[in-house]
Amino acid sequence: MGLNDAFNYVLFNNPVSSTMWSMAAQGAKAAGLKPKAVTQTAATHTKAVVEQALPPLWKLLGVNRHIVRLAGLSGAAAVVLGAYGAHYHFTPKDENTQERDPKQIFEMTNRYHFIHSLALLAAPLARRPYLTTTLIASGMSLFCGTCYYLAFTNDRRAAQLTPMGGFLLIFGWLSFII
C-alpha cells in the first residue's frame, strides 16, 4: 500500500471517515447538493495534492542517494564479516573448541536484532522500500528467531534456517544499492 493509498484510506475509506462522509452526503442531499460528486472530487483532488507534495522519499534524496547506497554496502559487509567472525576459530587449532555459550549467542542475536530494527527505519529511503522491508524483516525473523530459540532452548534443530536468514539480511542491505 503506497502513501497515496494510505492517505485515501485515512481520509475516505476507513469506517469512521466513511460514516462521516455519509453523514455529510445526507446533509448535502437535504440541502439540494449532489454529495456523490463532491466526495469523488474531494478524493481525486486529495490524491493529486498528495502525489505532488509527497514524492517517494528516495527521489527526495537526490545526490545523497549515494550515502544510502554506501550504507547498504556497509551493512551487507558487516553481516558477511559478522558471520565469518562467528565461525572463524580464533583459538589455536590444538585447543579443544567448546560450543558457544548460550548467553553469547543471545547477546550476539540481540545486537543483530537491534541493529536491523534500526535499519528498518531507513527502509523508506530505499528505492524499493517494500522489498527492503520484506528482506530485512524476513531475515531478522529467520536469523534472530532461530538464534534466540537456540540460546533459550539449546535445541539445534532450527539452526539450519539461520544461514538463510543471514542471506536475507545481506540481500536486504544490498537492496539499498539498487
Side-chain angles (χ1 to χ4, degrees):
M1 184 159 98
L3 190 57
N4 297 334
D5 294 333
F7 278 118
N8 279 329
Y9 177 77
V10 169
L11 294 174
F12 303 106
N13 300 330
N14 72 64
V16 174
S17 63
S18 294
T19 302
M20 297 305 294
W21 282 111
S22 175
M23 289 171 51
Q26 289 174 359
K29 193 174 189 178
L33 298 173
K34 295 181 181 178
K36 187 166 185 145
V38 171
T39 304
Q40 287 176 341
T41 304
T44 305
H45 179 69
T46 302
K47 185 174 182 178
V49 169
V50 168
E51 286 176 353
Q52 289 174 350
L54 297 170
L57 288 177
W58 66 269
K59 284 186 177 179
L60 293 175
L61 290 172
V63 295
N64 294 327
R65 174 101 178 101
H66 300 297
I67 296 169
V68 174
R69 288 179 170 167
L70 179 62
L73 184 61
S74 177
V79 175
V80 169
L81 290 170
Y84 181 77
H87 297 288
Y88 182 79
H89 297 290
F90 289 102
T91 58
K93 299 289 183 194
D94 59 343
E95 291 184 19
N96 290 333
T97 56
Q98 297 177 351
E99 295 216 11
R100 289 192 183 96
D101 178 31
K103 185 171 178 160
Q104 288 177 330
I105 294 171
F106 172 80
E107 289 172 352
M108 179 269 312
T109 303
N110 190 252
R111 186 171 46 253
Y112 268 70
H113 187 184
F114 186 72
I115 289 168
H116 288 90
S117 294
L118 292 176
L120 281 176
L121 289 174
L125 299 175
R127 188 175 191 132
R128 294 178 179 88
Y130 294 117
L131 173 66
T132 301
T133 300
T134 301
L135 290 169
I136 291 177
S138 300
M140 283 175 33
S141 297
L142 284 174
F143 180 81
C144 296
T146 56
C147 288
Y148 279 137
Y149 180 77
L150 175 64
F152 289 128
T153 65
N154 209 18
D155 181 5
R156 295 194 155 279
R157 289 182 289 175
Q160 59 194 357
L161 296 174
T162 306
M164 188 184 312
F167 280 114
L168 288 171
L169 291 175
I170 293 166
F171 295 143
W173 281 105
L174 291 175
S175 72
F176 280 103
I177 296 173
I178 57 173

